[in-house]
Amino acid sequence: QVQLAESGGGLVQAGGSLRLSCAASGRTISNYAMGWFRQAPGKERAFVVRISWNGGSTYYSDSVKGRFTISRDNAKNTVYLQMNSLKPEDTAVYYCAASTDPLGVRSVSFRYWGQGTQVTVSS
């Protein structure tokens, strides 16, 4: 069992930056691909980015490519999401998740989920 806890969300102006963290406990995440998803009010949860177990491969949604960067530190059992050039449309609850599927981008591919952290971008 893997427990995930996101932190680092908050309120930021458009064009600003935030860094989200996802701390894992219960089991090492070094065997898992990790991903970030987000859910805006009234919308379905959407894929943001995925990183392979060793950080060697990443895959971004088109909406965040070039602005967001995912990274991981397996020694700290933590995954990060650096978000730059934030836009109001990035406003959402951000979730991290763990998957045994190295290529998964759908929610069903991810077995473990955090509770989410709110990111609000003002215009």
Side-chain angles (χ1 to χ4, degrees):
Q1 192 81 357
V2 177
Q3 292 81 43
L4 302 173
E6 304 93 338
S7 62
L11 174 64
V12 64
Q13 288 188 332
S17 298
L18 281 174
R19 189 193 195 203
L20 306 183
S21 297
C22 173
S25 59
R27 186 180 293 183
T28 177
I29 60 169
S30 60
N31 297 323
Y32 294 89
M34 299 297 295
W36 288 93
F37 289 74
R38 65 186 182 185
Q39 188 167 18
K43 295 187 177 182
E44 294 187 353
R45 191 172 298 185
F47 170 81
V48 176
V49 60
R50 165 180 43 81
I51 188 168
S52 61
W53 67 275
N54 64 352
S57 174
T58 57
Y59 181 75
Y60 294 86
S61 67
D62 288 343
S63 61
V64 306
K65 197 176 298 181
R67 300 188 298 122
F68 290 13
T69 303
I70 189 172
S71 61
R72 65 190 298 162
D73 185 339
N74 286 341
K76 295 183 177 180
N77 232 22
T78 302
V79 179
Y80 305 97
L81 183 63
Q82 178 67 43
M83 306 186 295
N84 299 328
S85 303
L86 282 161
K87 305 175 181 180
E89 50 264 43
D90 294 318
T91 295
V93 177
Y94 283 72
Y95 299 88
C96 72
S99 174
T100 56
D101 180 355
L103 301 179
V105 297
R106 298 187 304 158
S107 296
V108 295
S109 298
F110 289 78
R111 182 175 182 182
Y112 301 108
W113 292 83
Q115 293 300 307
T117 185
Q118 176 70 47
V119 171
T120 303
V121 184
S122 63
S123 58

